[in-house]
Amino acid sequence: MTIIYFILILSITVFIHELGHFMFAKKFGVYVYEFSIGMGPKLFKFNRKNDETDYCIRLLPIGGFVQMAGEEVEVDEKIPVEKRLQSKPAFQRFMIMVAGVMMNFLLAIVLFFLIGLFNNVSLNNVYVQNSSIDGLNNNDKIVAINGNFVNNYDKLALEMTIAGDKEFTMTVKTENGDKKDVKVLPIGVGKSNLLYEKDYGFSVEDLSITETNLQELSVGDKIVGINGKKIITYLELLNELKIVGNNNFTLTVIDKGNIEKSVSIFPKDIKEDELLGYSYGFYISGKSEKGFFAAIKYAFGKFFSTIEQMIFTVFYLITGKISLSMLSGPVGIFNAVSVYSSYGFTSLISLLCLICINVGFINILPLPAFDGGHVLFIIIEKIKGSKVDPKVENTIHNVGFILLMLLMVLVTYNDIIRLF
């Protein structure tokens, strides 16, 4: 099913984007040779009566295109001048170029609205819950990470990603309005759901033993203490393991017969672990609402917070705070589909929204081969008062396309490396 979901999500994203270009091209009388979903060899083609366009589905579901007369350097003399793209006024060409992005954004907002209409949704602002950090209390509002303003979950996740495994300063506002700074040291979590690159002889889910090679422990035993200190939450368990470090410790558990027992644990360092993520010593929540107006607020709030996150991502890429190795391509999207699908249909729709926004945002960047690159040349044309030489523009776009393909190869390579 993951493969089916993956193909559907990419196909919908590409279809709605290319549909935008197609609709405005037709509206302004541009001759369209082909409307295609997918790349590579044609699998299916049909034509409509009194319509010049070939409608195609191609083998690889990783893109699509609308082929219009007047895009190429060589002029197709068979097409009347007034039906060629480059003969159209600047405003019409501008609208044709940005229409794909507009459709991606519009679909994301509509789907976010539907999610908000039928579910309780967390609106902007993030609050601390179930903290195991001294001085950090429930309902403290998170307002900054290392001095960088935070007003939604997307920005918080980005700033935490940049922090990585390094200690950071989190600024919170208490319920009575006071601001304070709290030091947070991320804890790496390995495949045992315990500290990264540590072998304790057991794995856990929440506080229950799920796997063990120790005779004294059994699957289903529940952890209740470490070195005599009571453990109530999973976050407390991780914090105590961080304090223990490489030292031996006594683990207290209650077995299925409700009998308490103490077991000596001897931690070992390992290098073959898989880093699943980081624990920060607290959970977060947002204030949830439901209803028509809450759905509108959620749709636009989530849309703009995602755009904001992407703007900061580009900025952090330029400044070196984020490396290219952190970007994901089709393989990364496939993995995301696998994860999101395990949480249900609503999560998959949320992923579709995020991918639509990402595709739209990337395409509107003023870079060669992107829609934004074409828009940039239209703006240059208006500033200089004459059109840019088509050969020069096409050469720049072709070079940009080659560089884009090389970047895709690099990103895909990094995605594959992360799998292993």
Side-chain angles (χ1 to χ4, degrees), residues 72-124:
E72 64 285 336
V73 175
E74 297 297 327
V75 176
D76 186 352
E77 298 294 347
K78 297 177 182 179
I79 307 302
V81 173
E82 67 274 9
K83 293 181 75 68
R84 299 173 193 164
L85 176 65
Q86 292 302 333
S87 70
K88 298 298 180 181
F91 174 74
Q92 292 185 4
R93 284 182 280 128
F94 173 85
M95 290 304 301
I96 291 170
M97 289 301 124
V98 302
V101 173
M102 290 165 50
M103 290 291 283
N104 280 132
F105 288 170
L106 180 61
L107 177 63
I109 291 172
V110 170
L111 291 178
F112 276 141
F113 170 76
L114 293 176
I115 291 172
L117 194 62
F118 296 105
N119 299 274
N120 282 319
V121 288
S122 295
L123 304 178
N124 280 342

Side-chain angles (χ1 to χ4, degrees), residues 356-390:
C356 272
I357 295 172
N358 274 258
V359 167
F361 180 86
I362 291 171
N363 266 283
I364 204 60
L365 293 176
L367 300 173
F370 291 121
D371 295 337
H374 291 282
V375 169
L376 178 61
F377 277 100
I378 295 173
I379 294 173
I380 292 173
E381 171 190 321
K382 296 300 292 183
I383 292 173
K384 69 190 288 285
S386 62
K387 291 186 177 181
V388 178
D389 186 335

Side-chain angles (χ1 to χ4, degrees), residues 188-197 234 273-277:
V189 178
K191 60 185 177 183
S192 65
N193 276 329
L194 301 171
L195 265 61
Y196 178 55
E197 294 189 335
Y234 171 67
D273 203 2
E274 177 186 354
L275 180 63
L276 297 185

Side-chain angles (χ1 to χ4, degrees), residues 30-88:
V30 175
Y31 189 98
V32 179
Y33 297 107
E34 182 177 338
F35 177 87
S36 185
I37 301 302
M39 307 293 282
K42 292 179 183 178
L43 296 178
F44 178 74
K45 182 184 85 168
F46 74 93
N47 298 90
R48 298 165 58 198
K49 188 176 181 180
N50 300 322
D51 185 354
E52 76 275 2
T53 305
D54 290 338
Y55 297 88
C56 303
I57 296 176
R58 294 176 177 261
L59 178 62
L60 303 175
I62 56 173
F65 58 89
V66 175
Q67 185 182 8
M68 295 173 277
E71 288 184 291
E72 64 285 336
V73 175
E74 297 297 327
V75 176
D76 186 352
E77 298 294 347
K78 297 177 182 179
I79 307 302
V81 173
E82 67 274 9
K83 293 181 75 68
R84 299 173 193 164
L85 176 65
Q86 292 302 333
S87 70
K88 298 298 180 181

Side-chain angles (χ1 to χ4, degrees), residues 82 112 120 168 176 178 197 204 230 276 287 315 317 334 338 347 357-358:
E82 67 274 9
F112 276 141
N120 282 319
F168 60 85
N176 59 17
D178 297 330
E197 294 189 335
V204 301
K230 191 174 182 180
L276 297 185
K287 292 184 177 179
F315 175 73
L317 276 170
F334 182 84
S338 177
S347 292
I357 295 172
N358 274 258

Side-chain angles (χ1 to χ4, degrees), residues 129-389:
Q129 294 295 330
N130 300 325
S131 170
S132 60
I133 299 176
D134 291 338
L136 191 63
N137 303 311
N138 287 349
N139 298 320
D140 283 350
K141 180 182 176 182
I142 302 172
V143 296
I145 300 290
N146 285 338
N148 297 318
F149 179 64
V150 168
N151 65 340
N152 56 66
Y153 174 78
D154 295 320
K155 185 62 164 43
L156 175 65
L158 178 61
E159 294 297 336
M160 285 181 162
T161 299
I162 292 170
D165 60 356
K166 297 179 178 62
E167 184 179 67
F168 60 85
T169 300
M170 186 168 71
T171 305
V172 298
K173 182 183 288 187
T174 64
E175 289 186 289
N176 59 17
D178 297 330
K179 283 188 178 181
K180 60 181 177 181
D181 291 334
V182 180
K183 296 291 184 181
V184 178
L185 179 61
I187 303 172
V189 178
K191 60 185 177 183
S192 65
N193 276 329
L194 301 171
L195 265 61
Y196 178 55
E197 294 189 335
K198 297 285 185 184
D199 181 10
Y200 299 96
F202 63 93
S203 300
V204 301
E205 184 69 39
D206 293 326
L207 292 178
S208 295
I209 306 293
T210 55
E211 293 182 29
T212 182
N213 56 19
L214 303 176
Q215 292 183 349
E216 300 90 342
L217 290 176
S218 300
V219 173
D221 289 352
K222 184 175 181 180
I223 299 170
V224 295
I226 290 181
N227 287 341
K229 183 173 181 179
K230 191 174 182 180
I231 299 294
I232 298 177
T233 69
Y234 171 67
L235 295 180
E236 290 177 339
L237 171 64
L238 294 180
N239 280 338
E240 288 304 313
L241 291 177
K242 181 179 71 173
I243 293 170
V244 168
N246 290 323
N247 299 316
N248 303 338
F249 61 92
T250 300
L251 184 74
T252 305
V253 301
I254 295 178
D255 65 18
K256 293 180 179 178
N258 207 33
I259 298 174
E260 184 177 294
K261 57 185 178 182
S262 296
V263 180
S264 296
I265 303 296
F266 304 94
K268 298 177 183 178
D269 289 333
I270 56 173
K271 293 298 182 183
E272 301 80 21
D273 203 2
E274 177 186 354
L275 180 63
L276 297 185
Y278 294 98
S279 172
Y280 300 93
F282 60 90
Y283 294 109
I284 60 173
S285 68
K287 292 184 177 179
S288 296
E289 295 182 25
K290 187 176 182 180
F292 182 81
F293 292 107
I296 293 176
K297 191 187 298 184
Y298 172 75
F300 285 95
K302 188 66 176 175
F303 171 76
F304 284 113
S305 71
T306 305
I307 292 291
E308 179 190 42
Q309 184 189 34
M310 295 207 67
I311 292 172
F312 276 101
T313 298
V314 171
F315 175 73
Y316 289 149
L317 276 170
I318 295 171
T319 57
K321 288 186 176 181
I322 292 179
S323 68
L324 286 175
S325 63
M326 298 179 69
L327 301 181
S328 287
V331 176
I333 294 173
F334 182 84
N335 290 332
V337 170
S338 177
V339 173
Y340 275 72
S341 64
S342 66
Y343 293 102
F345 180 72
T346 300
S347 292
L348 278 174
I349 297 299
S350 295
L351 179 61
L352 171 59
C353 294
L354 296 178
I355 292 175
C356 272
I357 295 172
N358 274 258
V359 167
F361 180 86
I362 291 171
N363 266 283
I364 204 60
L365 293 176
L367 300 173
F370 291 121
D371 295 337
H374 291 282
V375 169
L376 178 61
F377 277 100
I378 295 173
I379 294 173
I380 292 173
E381 171 190 321
K382 296 300 292 183
I383 292 173
K384 69 190 288 285
S386 62
K387 291 186 177 181
V388 178
D389 186 335

